[in-house]
Protein backbone atom coordinates (compact mmCIF):
# COMPACT_ATOMS: atom_id res chain seq x y z
CA UNK A 1 0.00 0.00 0.00
CA UNK A 2 1.15 3.53 -0.63
CA UNK A 3 1.12 5.59 2.57
CA UNK A 4 1.98 9.12 3.58
CA UNK A 5 4.82 9.08 6.12
CA UNK A 6 6.98 11.67 7.79
CA UNK A 7 10.22 12.30 5.94
CA UNK A 8 12.90 11.29 8.44
CA UNK A 9 16.18 9.40 8.33
CA UNK A 10 15.89 5.80 9.54
CA UNK A 11 18.65 3.63 10.99
CA UNK A 12 20.16 1.22 8.48
CA UNK A 13 19.76 -2.51 9.03
CA UNK A 14 16.55 -2.35 11.07
CA UNK A 15 13.06 -3.02 9.79
CA UNK A 16 10.40 -0.35 10.18
CA UNK A 17 6.76 -0.45 11.17
CA UNK A 18 4.24 2.36 11.03
CA UNK A 19 1.89 3.91 13.60
CA UNK A 20 -1.25 5.64 12.22
CA UNK A 21 -2.24 9.22 12.97
CA UNK A 22 -4.86 11.39 11.33
CA UNK A 23 -3.57 14.76 10.11
CA UNK A 24 -6.04 17.66 9.84
CA UNK A 25 -5.51 21.25 8.83
CA UNK A 26 -8.00 23.90 9.96
CA UNK A 27 -8.73 27.62 9.54
CA UNK A 28 -9.90 29.09 12.85
CA UNK A 29 -11.50 32.53 13.15
CA UNK A 30 -11.96 33.85 16.67
CA UNK A 31 -12.40 37.15 18.49
CA UNK A 32 -10.09 38.74 21.03
CA UNK A 33 -10.34 42.12 22.76
CA UNK A 34 -8.53 43.75 19.84
CA UNK A 35 -10.67 42.25 17.07
CA UNK A 36 -11.02 39.14 14.96
CA UNK A 37 -8.06 36.90 14.14
CA UNK A 38 -7.58 34.07 11.66
CA UNK A 39 -5.13 31.23 12.20
CA UNK A 40 -4.20 28.13 10.27
CA UNK A 41 -3.85 25.24 12.73
CA UNK A 42 -2.69 21.64 12.27
CA UNK A 43 -3.79 18.80 14.53
CA UNK A 44 -2.70 15.18 14.82
CA UNK A 45 -5.08 12.54 16.17
CA UNK A 46 -3.74 9.26 17.51
CA UNK A 47 -6.05 6.79 15.78
CA UNK A 48 -5.09 3.83 17.98
CA UNK A 49 -5.31 5.24 21.52
CA UNK A 50 -7.35 8.35 20.78
CA UNK A 51 -6.40 11.86 21.71
CA UNK A 52 -5.65 14.92 19.60
CA UNK A 53 -2.89 17.46 19.89
CA UNK A 54 -2.12 20.70 18.13
CA UNK A 55 0.99 20.25 16.03
CA UNK A 56 2.93 23.46 15.46
CA UNK A 57 5.94 22.14 13.57
CA UNK A 58 5.91 18.90 11.64
CA UNK A 59 8.52 17.43 9.32
CA UNK A 60 7.76 17.17 5.62
CA UNK A 61 5.49 14.41 4.38
CA UNK A 62 6.26 12.01 1.56
CA UNK A 63 4.64 9.01 -0.12
CA UNK A 64 6.24 5.64 0.57
CA UNK A 65 5.42 2.08 -0.37
CA UNK A 66 4.59 0.26 2.89
CA UNK A 67 3.86 -3.42 3.44
CA UNK A 68 0.36 -3.52 4.89
CA UNK A 69 1.32 -5.98 7.64
CA UNK A 70 3.95 -3.48 8.88
CA UNK A 71 1.31 -0.82 9.64
CA UNK A 72 -0.64 -0.90 12.89
CA UNK A 73 -4.36 -0.99 12.15
CA UNK A 74 -6.19 2.19 13.13
CA UNK A 75 -9.08 1.78 15.58
CA UNK A 76 -10.78 5.16 15.17
CA UNK A 77 -12.62 5.98 11.96
CA UNK A 78 -11.83 8.99 9.81
CA UNK A 79 -15.06 10.69 10.91
CA UNK A 80 -14.32 10.09 14.61
CA UNK A 81 -10.81 11.55 14.20
CA UNK A 82 -12.18 14.71 12.56
CA UNK A 83 -14.82 15.14 15.29
CA UNK A 84 -12.22 14.72 18.04
CA UNK A 85 -9.84 17.22 16.40
CA UNK A 86 -12.70 19.72 15.98
CA UNK A 87 -13.69 19.40 19.64
CA UNK A 88 -10.06 19.79 20.78
CA UNK A 89 -9.71 23.01 18.77
CA UNK A 90 -13.05 24.37 19.97
CA UNK A 91 -12.07 23.82 23.61
CA UNK A 92 -8.59 25.21 23.04
CA UNK A 93 -9.87 28.48 21.60
CA UNK A 94 -12.66 28.87 24.15
CA UNK A 95 -10.73 28.02 27.32
CA UNK A 96 -7.02 28.55 26.58
CA UNK A 97 -7.03 31.40 24.07
CA UNK A 98 -10.21 32.78 25.69
CA UNK A 99 -12.01 33.79 22.56
CA UNK A 100 -14.77 36.35 23.16
CA UNK A 101 -17.06 34.52 20.76
CA UNK A 102 -17.52 30.94 19.66
CA UNK A 103 -14.70 30.27 17.17
CA UNK A 104 -15.49 29.44 13.56
CA UNK A 105 -13.55 26.31 12.64
CA UNK A 106 -13.28 25.22 9.01
CA UNK A 107 -11.62 22.00 7.83
CA UNK A 108 -9.10 22.63 5.02
CA UNK A 109 -7.38 19.27 4.53
CA UNK A 110 -7.11 15.85 6.14
CA UNK A 111 -5.30 12.56 5.56
CA UNK A 112 -3.88 9.47 7.23
CA UNK A 113 -0.22 9.86 8.17
CA UNK A 114 2.01 7.05 9.40
CA UNK A 115 4.87 7.63 11.82
CA UNK A 116 7.79 5.22 11.26
CA UNK A 117 9.30 3.35 14.21
CA UNK A 118 12.11 0.81 14.40
CA UNK A 119 13.04 -1.89 16.94
CA UNK A 120 16.67 -1.77 17.99
CA UNK A 121 18.38 -4.31 20.22
CA UNK A 122 21.23 -3.15 22.42
CA UNK A 123 23.14 -4.84 25.21
CA UNK A 124 22.22 -3.82 28.74
CA UNK A 125 24.28 -1.25 30.54
CA UNK A 126 25.39 -3.54 33.36
CA UNK A 127 24.35 -6.99 32.12
CA UNK A 128 25.16 -8.83 28.94
CA UNK A 129 21.46 -9.44 28.22
CA UNK A 130 20.21 -7.56 25.15
CA UNK A 131 17.22 -5.24 25.53
CA UNK A 132 14.75 -4.15 22.87
CA UNK A 133 14.27 -0.43 22.36
CA UNK A 134 11.83 1.55 20.27
CA UNK A 135 13.51 4.11 18.01
CA UNK A 136 11.53 7.01 16.56
CA UNK A 137 13.48 8.50 13.62
CA UNK A 138 11.28 11.62 13.53
CA UNK A 139 12.46 12.83 16.95
CA UNK A 140 15.61 10.69 17.08
CA UNK A 141 14.50 9.27 20.44
CA UNK A 142 15.14 5.83 21.90
CA UNK A 143 12.93 4.37 24.64
CA UNK A 144 12.06 1.00 26.16
CA UNK A 145 9.35 -0.87 24.23
CA UNK A 146 7.54 -1.71 27.50
CA UNK A 147 6.35 1.91 27.80
CA UNK A 148 4.17 1.55 24.70
CA UNK A 149 1.69 -1.32 25.26
CA UNK A 150 -0.16 -1.01 21.93
CA UNK A 151 3.10 -1.14 19.96
CA UNK A 152 4.41 -3.96 22.15
CA UNK A 153 1.24 -6.02 21.47
CA UNK A 154 1.49 -5.37 17.72
CA UNK A 155 5.13 -6.51 17.60
CA UNK A 156 4.38 -9.51 19.83
CA UNK A 157 1.55 -10.62 17.47
CA UNK A 158 3.79 -10.13 14.44
CA UNK A 159 7.10 -11.71 15.51
CA UNK A 160 6.33 -13.48 18.78
CA UNK A 161 7.66 -12.87 22.28
CA UNK A 162 10.15 -10.01 22.55
Amino acid sequence: MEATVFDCKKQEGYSSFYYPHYYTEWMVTYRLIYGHRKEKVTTMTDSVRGGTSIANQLPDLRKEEVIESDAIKEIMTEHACIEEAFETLRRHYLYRVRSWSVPTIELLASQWVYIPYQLIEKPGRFSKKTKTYLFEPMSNSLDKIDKFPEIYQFIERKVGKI
Side-chain angles (χ1 to χ4, degrees):
M1 80 178 198
E2 189 170 311
T4 305
V5 298
F6 286 111
D7 193 14
C8 48
K9 187 172 177 158
K10 299 176 196 167
Q11 298 256 343
E12 294 295 324
Y14 296 103
S15 62
S16 298
F17 63 95
Y18 301 88
Y19 192 90
H21 278 72
Y22 198 72
Y23 169 92
T24 49
E25 199 172 277
W26 306 85
M27 184 59 73
V28 181
T29 307
Y30 61 100
R31 184 170 176 254
L32 292 174
I33 296 173
Y34 308 110
H36 287 79
R37 293 190 66 176
K38 258 186 166 179
E39 287 183 358
K40 194 181 225 183
V41 182
T42 303
T43 59
M44 294 290 288
T45 303
D46 185 336
S47 61
V48 176
R49 287 187 290 176
T52 299
S53 61
I54 296 173
N56 294 331
Q57 295 178 348
L58 292 173
D60 294 332
L61 300 173
R62 66 179 163 90
K63 295 283 186 185
E64 184 177 301
E65 197 61 38
V66 173
I67 301 169
E68 198 164 332
S69 63
D70 288 347
I72 296 175
K73 186 73 178 149
E74 57 272 343
I75 295 172
M76 294 179 70
T77 64
E78 185 175 347
H79 182 68
C81 290
I82 291 172
E83 281 184 355
E84 185 168 324
F86 178 87
E87 187 60 26
T88 299
L89 280 178
R90 187 186 71 76
R91 287 183 179 164
H92 175 75
Y93 280 92
L94 283 176
Y95 301 116
R96 294 266 184 186
V97 178
R98 299 193 185 258
S99 175
W100 284 45
S101 64
V102 177
T104 304
I105 304 169
E106 177 187 347
L107 180 63
L108 300 177
S110 63
Q111 65 179 332
W112 290 104
V113 175
Y114 292 86
I115 298 177
Y117 286 97
Q118 294 178 307
L119 287 179
I120 296 177
E121 290 185 349
K122 288 190 171 192
R125 192 169 175 189
F126 299 109
S127 68
K128 297 192 188 310
K129 185 178 176 185
T130 60
K131 294 185 179 182
T132 305
Y133 293 95
L134 186 66
F135 176 69
E136 182 185 29
M138 192 170 79
S139 64
N140 218 11
S141 65
L142 191 67
D143 214 343
K144 290 183 180 177
I145 186 88
D146 302 345
K147 292 185 178 181
F148 307 95
E150 61 281 343
I151 295 175
Y152 184 81
Q153 290 169 359
F154 172 76
I155 299 297
E156 202 171 49
R157 273 185 264 132
K158 188 173 176 184
V159 296
K161 191 81 172 155
I162 298 175

